[in-house]
Amino acid sequence: MRSRLFAAVLLLLGAVFVAPPGAAAAPSQPSPAVLAASAPAGLVPDQPSPEDVRRALTRIARASDGRVRLGVAGRTNENRPIRLATVGTGSTRLLYVTQQHGDEPLGTPAAIQALWALGVPDSAWHRWLRSRVTIDIVVQANPDGAVRNQRYNHDPSASGDYSEPGVGYDINRFHNPLTPIEDNPVPESRAILRQWHATHPAVVVDYHMQGRYLQPDGRETTASILWPTSPLAGDAAVGRSRQLAVRNHDAMTWVAGANVTRYPGGDYEGIARNAYGILGSASLLVELSALPQEQADFQIRTAFVSMIATAQGAADGSLWRVNGERADTIPERGPELPDAPALQRADAA
Ligand SMILES: [Zn+2]
């Protein structure tokens, strides 16, 4: 009798705890601080060389037992690999891009920490997240520019619009989806466009750095964001991009402690933010301010929080329940701080 009761209780418990596939509640998310702490100290420097990136990614691939897969999205004019790292196997695809401008490095260490934090630990939440989304990251999209600490790619034959003649092209002006890829002179842009066409990501986030600016209320801006503003981007994609912007604004503000404004970007369709919105993705530009060196870790944490919050929101669908109209309440970026160190045309994203 007692054993029959015990079996009935077990059955009942089973009915409670074994929900049907697809209806299972998501395991609760570890805090970003806990996730960040899973990555070992010294995994990657703040301004990594291509060799630092290679070494860190190799270490992650090994430590993750293959859950972080390494690939090459293309080759630069100096034959450096444009590195691609992928975590997760879910049907919702995400694409993050870092350091298209070689002198804007901090998105790259953030991506490397995120790859560790999502790929190496193997908790129920990690397994759930990886079953829902596949995150592709083009890590340090401009390695030739990175080794020169320059904005442009390396192409001494560069000429025409959006180039620095004799130096190279501005990679982030060559994503125009209306240009046939084979006519595109920039190998880094071609690689990212081909990655987009291979995976049709629901979400694209592109990480850059800007100079130093004040908020309208006088505090210093630590990050600015913007969604597609090209008139060629459809209403649905812009609406989802604005949801992505609000989600990132909230996480960066309330979790990372960032002061976030709206980036004053242009409408040109060759800018990644616009191009991938035109193609139909939720698309976002994230610009970390070039704060003094002692705040580099804070800036890396802001980008890390953005990457985790975007992944979580895509995995549990909460991203698409955000009120995108709130994007209009993100304050416009204020005036430039005097004596701020200038990036090369950093104001141009
Ligand atoms: Zn940039």
Side-chain angles (χ1 to χ4, degrees):
M1 180 65 200
R2 184 169 291 175
S3 68
R4 233 191 296 166
L5 184 66
F6 185 63
V9 168
L10 271 185
L11 267 176
L12 204 63
L13 282 175
V16 170
F17 289 112
V18 184
S28 63
Q29 185 198 336
S31 76
V34 167
L35 288 172
S38 71
L43 177 61
V44 67
D46 295 347
Q47 302 193 26
S49 68
E51 175 58 20
D52 292 327
V53 171
R54 184 199 65 76
R55 195 179 301 124
L57 291 179
T58 303
R59 189 175 166 193
I60 293 169
R62 194 175 299 136
S64 74
D65 286 331
R67 292 189 292 270
V68 174
R69 288 102 62 197
L70 306 185
V72 172
R75 292 256 164 198
T76 70
N77 289 323
E78 289 189 310
N79 204 36
R80 288 193 175 87
I82 300 164
R83 296 191 183 279
L84 177 71
T86 302
V87 62
T89 55
S91 59
T92 300
R93 305 290 299 230
L94 283 69
L95 175 61
Y96 300 157
V97 178
T98 75
Q99 209 175 348
Q100 289 198 66
H101 295 138
D103 60 342
E104 301 175 12
L106 295 182
T108 295
I112 286 170
Q113 291 180 10
L115 284 162
W116 185 290
L118 297 175
V120 175
D122 202 24
S123 73
W125 176 81
H126 285 84
R127 291 192 294 274
W128 167 83
L129 186 92
R130 293 191 299 255
S131 75
R132 307 283 297 190
V133 295
T134 300
I135 306 168
D136 295 299
I137 309 186
V138 177
V139 185
Q140 193 175 61
N142 181 7
D144 294 358
V147 299
R148 294 169 171 83
N149 195 35
Q150 77 182 21
R151 176 178 180 86
Y152 303 92
N153 78 349
H154 175 71
D155 188 345
S157 72
S159 65
D161 288 348
Y162 307 116
S163 74
E164 185 68 27
V167 175
Y169 289 102
D170 184 336
I171 295 168
N172 198 27
R173 294 298 179 276
F174 286 87
H175 296 269
N176 190 338
L178 309 177
T179 303
I181 290 181
E182 58 273 19
D183 294 343
N184 187 325
V186 181
E188 296 85 359
S189 309
R190 289 198 303 267
I192 298 166
L193 278 159
R194 288 200 170 108
Q195 179 63 29
W196 191 95
H197 283 288
T199 59
H200 290 219
V203 170
V204 179
V205 188
D206 184 24
Y207 292 87
H208 286 254
M209 293 179 68
Q210 61 183 356
R212 297 180 66 185
Y213 299 87
L214 293 175
Q215 306 277 96
D217 64 8
R219 292 176 302 160
E220 183 168 3
T221 291
T222 67
S224 300
I225 59 177
L226 189 64
W227 49 91
T229 54
S230 165
L232 300 177
D235 290 345
V238 172
R240 289 193 303 275
S241 300
R242 283 159 59 86
Q243 292 179 305
L244 177 64
V246 171
R247 173 77 178 206
N248 271 263
H249 168 273
D250 290 354
M252 291 158 76
T253 301
W254 303 116
V255 180
N259 298 335
V260 183
T261 55
R262 187 193 323 184
Y263 186 80
D267 294 349
Y268 178 53
E269 56 269 24
I271 297 170
R273 161 178 60 83
N274 287 323
Y276 299 112
I278 292 168
L279 286 170
S281 297
S283 174
L284 189 72
L285 165 73
V286 172
E287 294 266 352
L288 305 170
S289 300
L291 301 180
Q293 175 59 30
E294 59 269 23
Q295 295 181 68
D297 286 350
F298 169 78
Q299 292 298 68
I300 293 168
R301 180 62 58 89
T302 296
F304 174 88
V305 163
S306 155
M307 292 171 182
I308 300 297
T310 299
Q312 172 78 23
D316 66 12
S318 60
L319 187 51
W320 315 122
R321 296 191 291 274
V322 168
N323 175 10
E325 297 302 309
R326 283 182 49 225
D328 292 330
T329 67
I330 300 171
E332 288 182 30
R333 201 180 66 182
E336 186 159 18
L337 268 179
D339 307 322
L343 294 164
Q344 295 163 28
R345 296 197 195 170
D347 202 28

